[in-house]
Amino acid sequence: QGDLKFYTHGELDTLDPPMREMLPYEKYSDVISSSDYVTTMITSRGCPFLCTFCKLTFQKTLSHSAEYVIDEFQRIADMGITSIQVYDDTFTWSKKRLIAICEGIIQRGIKIDWAIRDRVSSPTPETMEMLALAGCSRIHYGVESGSDKTLKTIKKNITTDQAINAFRLAKSHSIQTLAYFMIGLPGETVEDMRETFRFAKILDPDYATFSV
């Protein structure tokens, strides 16, 4: 699909990484992770997409370089933390950067469990394989609706077919999935909402959340 326009210019790399050593990090865990210690990470800010419900449509997209992210993974692993929740709104919007991060984690032999947030339009067989090899164990997808009509209304720029493909690819690499859904979106009928519930069963994610 190629890379969407994004900005690095070293802007975020001038910031020091979080001083996790100052926190009682042994006390942090996650209800859907089997790891002992969990931390969070943000590798980019903003999102290049224009979903009508989102707060990020006005924000310029900025990202840390792949090297910065790999170094932070290394520091976290060296602390004995065994799981990372990557809270970027869309971790994969640069395929080139994604591949570089995964390759760096693999080459350094960093053994850590991590989860990302993503769009169902992003995965390819290549990127999914790289994520699995690099230790990504769960992907949170913003599916939002099981109705293509509703997806067009909210300008999500995805289709239900893409969602089916994304979840199939993740499962084929033994990566867990979490699906985000919303009900009560503009123009929705009760039948549209039921369609979302039916679609959730078709996708069969490991976890699902439904928001109003």
Side-chain angles (χ1 to χ4, degrees), residues 94-159:
S94 168
K95 180 180 177 181
K96 180 179 178 181
R97 175 177 173 269
L98 168 66
I99 295 296
I101 290 171
C102 290
E103 286 179 342
I105 292 170
I106 295 166
Q107 289 168 4
R108 291 199 194 181
I110 301 171
K111 302 299 182 184
I112 200 161
D113 174 87
W114 50 295
I116 63 171
R117 277 75 183 153
D118 200 7
R119 289 173 56 86
V120 299
S121 57
S122 298
T124 67
E126 178 191 11
T127 57
M128 195 66 74
E129 181 177 7
M130 291 300 297
L131 283 165
L133 290 172
C136 179
S137 62
R138 188 173 64 255
I139 302 177
H140 298 209
Y141 284 117
V143 182
E144 321 311 358
S145 174
S147 164
D148 283 307
K149 178 191 72 174
T150 300
L151 291 173
K152 288 181 180 178
T153 298
I154 62 175
K155 298 183 180 179
K156 183 70 180 178
N157 199 27
I158 64 171
T159 66

Side-chain angles (χ1 to χ4, degrees), residues 1-16:
Q1 295 180 355
D3 287 350
L4 295 164
K5 182 179 179 180
F6 70 106
Y7 302 82
T8 52
H9 308 310
E11 293 174 62
L12 292 188
D13 285 2
T14 61
L15 301 174
D16 291 329

